[in-house]
Amino acid sequence: EIDKVFPDEYFFIMVGGGDLMDIVVEKINLYFDKKNFFCLGNYSHPEKILTLSHFLINTSVIEGMPLTIIEALAINVPVIAASIGAIGEIIINGFNGWLLDKNPSAENYIEAINKSREQNIYLHLRANTRASVADKYSSKRMAKQYEEIFLNKK
């Protein structure tokens, strides 16, 4: 539904793969206009695409530690995602992205995009992205936390 609401303003790029990839591509071909939806599959340097993006839209229904979201925020890309797994600890609604309900509809994603169309709101989200993860999820801090977990295991 998103591509029908914004047919000439945005294009969507799906990166990644998995066991359901064939089914996902089949559904994309059935429901999306091919001129604005690209399915790249596994891609070795997704940060190159992220740096050109207005948003990372995460539609996962199961998520542990959402590294893709942390990576997007670290390069100043706001995130739109459902509040599942640890996502609710990372996305601050209206600050560095939009945190949706656990089972969001296409309309919820569209509403989040529409809220961000006002330039000052989008710039506000973008300005807060990197700082929201820079310290808490730095490689140095993460390594220290993993070391503490490892050393405390018996």
Side-chain angles (χ1 to χ4, degrees):
E1 292 180 38
I2 295 173
D3 72 319
K4 291 172 182 60
V5 175
F6 307 109
D8 298 319
E9 296 176 58
Y10 297 102
F11 60 93
F12 302 89
I13 301 171
M14 188 177 97
V15 178
D19 296 341
L20 300 175
M21 185 66 169
D22 292 338
I23 294 168
V24 171
V25 170
E26 182 180 312
K27 296 288 185 189
I28 289 168
N29 290 331
L30 184 63
Y31 295 110
F32 285 89
D33 185 341
K34 278 43 145 223
K35 74 176 184 168
N36 64 351
F37 199 104
F38 304 92
C39 189
L40 301 181
N42 290 322
Y43 192 77
S44 59
H45 296 286
E47 69 280 0
K48 292 179 180 179
I49 294 169
L50 273 175
T51 59
L52 301 172
S53 302
H54 282 92
F55 289 101
L56 169 70
I57 299 176
N58 182 304
T59 59
S60 295
V61 294
I62 299 172
E63 192 72 65
M65 175 54 87
L67 294 178
T68 305
I69 289 175
I70 294 168
E71 291 166 351
L73 294 170
I75 57 173
N76 297 314
V77 177
V79 175
I80 301 171
S83 181
I84 56 170
I87 293 174
E89 298 171 28
I90 299 168
I91 302 301
I92 303 165
N93 199 38
F95 181 74
N96 60 358
W98 300 108
L99 190 61
L100 308 178
D101 291 331
K102 290 185 179 189
N103 296 304
S105 65
E107 289 81 22
N108 297 135
Y109 287 97
I110 292 167
E111 181 181 328
I113 293 169
N114 275 330
K115 284 192 278 191
S116 305
R117 293 179 75 166
E118 189 175 320
Q119 187 69 9
N120 64 340
I121 292 175
Y122 178 75
L123 291 175
H124 169 76
L125 294 174
R126 199 166 172 102
N128 296 313
T129 53
R130 183 164 173 69
S132 69
V133 295
D135 180 52
K136 188 174 181 181
Y137 298 102
S138 71
S139 58
K140 186 175 182 177
R141 183 169 181 179
M142 295 294 285
K144 182 71 175 161
Q145 289 174 338
Y146 282 123
E147 178 183 21
E148 288 171 6
I149 290 169
F150 179 73
L151 293 175
N152 289 326
K153 292 273 182 179
K154 298 200 183 221

